[in-house]
Amino acid sequence: QVQLVESGGGLVQAGGSLRLSCVASGTFFSIKGMGWYRQAPGKQRELVARITSGGWTNYADSVKGRFTVSRDNAKNTVYLQMNSLKPEDTAVYYCNADPDRDYGMGVYWGQGTQVTVSS
Protein backbone atom coordinates (compact mmCIF):
# COMPACT_ATOMS: atom_id res chain seq x y z
CA GLN A 1 0.00 0.00 0.00
CA VAL A 2 1.11 3.52 -0.81
CA GLN A 3 -0.24 6.69 0.74
CA LEU A 4 0.29 10.00 -1.03
CA VAL A 5 -0.06 13.34 0.72
CA GLU A 6 0.04 16.59 -1.27
CA SER A 7 0.74 20.08 -0.01
CA GLY A 8 1.41 23.53 -1.40
CA GLY A 9 -1.81 24.47 -3.14
CA GLY A 10 -3.52 27.80 -2.64
CA LEU A 11 -4.69 31.03 -4.20
CA VAL A 12 -2.33 33.04 -6.39
CA GLN A 13 -2.64 35.85 -8.90
CA ALA A 14 -2.05 35.28 -12.57
CA GLY A 15 1.67 35.35 -13.31
CA GLY A 16 2.53 34.06 -9.88
CA SER A 17 4.14 30.82 -8.75
CA LEU A 18 3.35 27.88 -6.52
CA ARG A 19 5.24 24.74 -5.59
CA LEU A 20 3.39 21.52 -4.90
CA SER A 21 4.88 18.63 -2.95
CA CYS A 22 3.77 15.04 -2.59
CA VAL A 23 5.24 12.56 -0.12
CA ALA A 24 4.76 8.83 -0.55
CA SER A 25 4.65 6.57 2.47
CA GLY A 26 3.64 3.00 3.21
CA THR A 27 4.88 -0.47 2.46
CA PHE A 28 6.97 -0.52 -0.68
CA PHE A 29 10.55 -1.07 -1.74
CA SER A 30 10.69 1.99 -3.99
CA ILE A 31 8.45 4.26 -6.01
CA LYS A 32 8.77 4.13 -9.77
CA GLY A 33 6.71 6.61 -11.78
CA MET A 34 5.38 9.70 -10.02
CA GLY A 35 3.45 12.59 -11.39
CA TRP A 36 0.73 15.16 -11.27
CA TYR A 37 -2.73 15.29 -12.79
CA ARG A 38 -5.37 17.96 -12.49
CA GLN A 39 -9.12 18.24 -12.77
CA ALA A 40 -11.01 21.45 -13.32
CA PRO A 41 -14.76 21.73 -12.66
CA GLY A 42 -16.74 20.05 -15.42
CA LYS A 43 -13.64 18.63 -17.07
CA GLN A 44 -11.89 15.29 -17.12
CA ARG A 45 -8.76 14.64 -15.11
CA GLU A 46 -5.71 15.30 -17.26
CA LEU A 47 -1.99 14.69 -17.08
CA VAL A 48 0.12 17.67 -16.06
CA ALA A 49 3.59 16.14 -15.72
CA ARG A 50 5.25 12.83 -14.91
CA ILE A 51 8.75 11.75 -13.92
CA THR A 52 10.30 8.30 -13.84
CA SER A 53 12.61 6.96 -11.16
CA GLY A 54 15.48 7.70 -13.55
CA GLY A 55 14.43 11.29 -14.07
CA TRP A 56 12.80 11.15 -17.50
CA THR A 57 9.96 13.68 -17.68
CA ASN A 58 7.00 14.46 -19.85
CA TYR A 59 4.59 17.38 -19.74
CA ALA A 60 1.24 18.41 -21.07
CA ASP A 61 1.66 20.88 -23.92
CA SER A 62 -0.29 23.49 -21.96
CA VAL A 63 2.32 23.65 -19.19
CA LYS A 64 5.58 23.16 -21.08
CA GLY A 65 8.04 25.93 -20.30
CA ARG A 66 6.09 27.02 -17.21
CA PHE A 67 5.96 23.95 -14.95
CA THR A 68 8.82 21.74 -13.78
CA VAL A 69 8.44 18.32 -12.20
CA SER A 70 11.23 16.92 -10.04
CA ARG A 71 11.71 14.31 -7.37
CA ASP A 72 13.84 13.32 -4.42
CA ASN A 73 14.02 9.54 -4.43
CA ALA A 74 15.58 9.40 -0.96
CA LYS A 75 12.53 11.22 0.41
CA ASN A 76 9.97 9.52 -1.85
CA THR A 77 8.81 12.99 -2.76
CA VAL A 78 7.74 14.55 -6.05
CA TYR A 79 7.49 18.29 -6.65
CA LEU A 80 5.74 20.49 -9.16
CA GLN A 81 7.11 24.00 -9.57
CA MET A 82 4.48 26.10 -11.31
CA ASN A 83 5.49 29.46 -12.73
CA SER A 84 3.66 32.02 -14.85
CA LEU A 85 0.36 30.66 -13.64
CA LYS A 86 -2.76 31.36 -15.65
CA PRO A 87 -6.43 31.32 -14.62
CA GLU A 88 -6.88 28.21 -16.78
CA ASP A 89 -4.47 26.39 -14.46
CA THR A 90 -7.14 26.52 -11.75
CA ALA A 91 -7.96 22.95 -10.76
CA VAL A 92 -7.56 20.31 -8.10
CA TYR A 93 -4.09 18.85 -8.51
CA TYR A 94 -3.60 15.17 -7.72
CA CYS A 95 -0.39 13.32 -7.03
CA ASN A 96 -0.07 9.95 -8.73
CA ALA A 97 2.45 7.17 -8.18
CA ASP A 98 3.21 3.53 -8.85
CA PRO A 99 5.65 1.24 -7.00
CA ASP A 100 6.05 -1.13 -9.95
CA ARG A 101 5.94 0.88 -13.18
CA ASP A 102 7.84 3.91 -14.38
CA TYR A 103 5.50 4.72 -17.26
CA GLY A 104 1.80 5.32 -17.57
CA MET A 105 -0.73 6.28 -14.96
CA GLY A 106 0.04 4.89 -11.53
CA VAL A 107 -2.42 3.07 -9.32
CA TYR A 108 -2.17 5.30 -6.26
CA TRP A 109 -3.63 8.78 -5.85
CA GLY A 110 -3.40 11.54 -3.31
CA GLN A 111 -6.41 13.37 -1.97
CA GLY A 112 -5.80 16.42 -4.14
CA THR A 113 -4.85 20.01 -3.45
CA GLN A 114 -6.71 23.03 -4.79
CA VAL A 115 -4.87 25.55 -6.96
CA THR A 116 -6.77 28.73 -7.78
CA VAL A 117 -5.33 31.38 -10.08
CA SER A 118 -7.11 34.72 -10.09
CA SER A 119 -7.03 37.06 -13.06
Side-chain angles (χ1 to χ4, degrees), residues 9-53:
L11 173 64
V12 64
Q13 289 187 332
S17 298
L18 283 174
R19 188 192 195 209
L20 305 183
S21 300
C22 171
V23 180
S25 63
T27 306
F28 53 84
F29 178 73
S30 64
I31 294 292
K32 297 293 186 180
M34 301 187 81
W36 296 93
Y37 290 72
R38 66 186 181 187
Q39 188 167 18
K43 295 187 176 181
Q44 290 188 330
R45 192 172 296 189
E46 62 177 2
L47 171 70
V48 176
R50 290 195 61 81
I51 183 168
T52 67
S53 57

Side-chain angles (χ1 to χ4, degrees), residues 4 8-10 15-16 19 21 35-36 40 48-49 52 56-57 60 74 76 93 98 100 107 109-110 116:
L4 302 173
R19 188 192 195 209
S21 300
W36 296 93
V48 176
T52 67
W56 180 84
T57 59
N76 294 315
Y93 284 69
D98 199 294
D100 298 316
V107 298
W109 294 91
T116 302

Side-chain angles (χ1 to χ4, degrees), residues 6-10 16-22 36 68 70-72 77-83 85 113 115:
E6 304 107 332
S7 61
S17 298
L18 283 174
R19 188 192 195 209
L20 305 183
S21 300
C22 171
W36 296 93
T68 302
S70 61
R71 63 189 288 169
D72 184 332
T77 301
V78 63
Y79 306 96
L80 185 67
Q81 178 66 44
M82 304 185 293
N83 299 328
L85 282 160
T113 185
V115 172

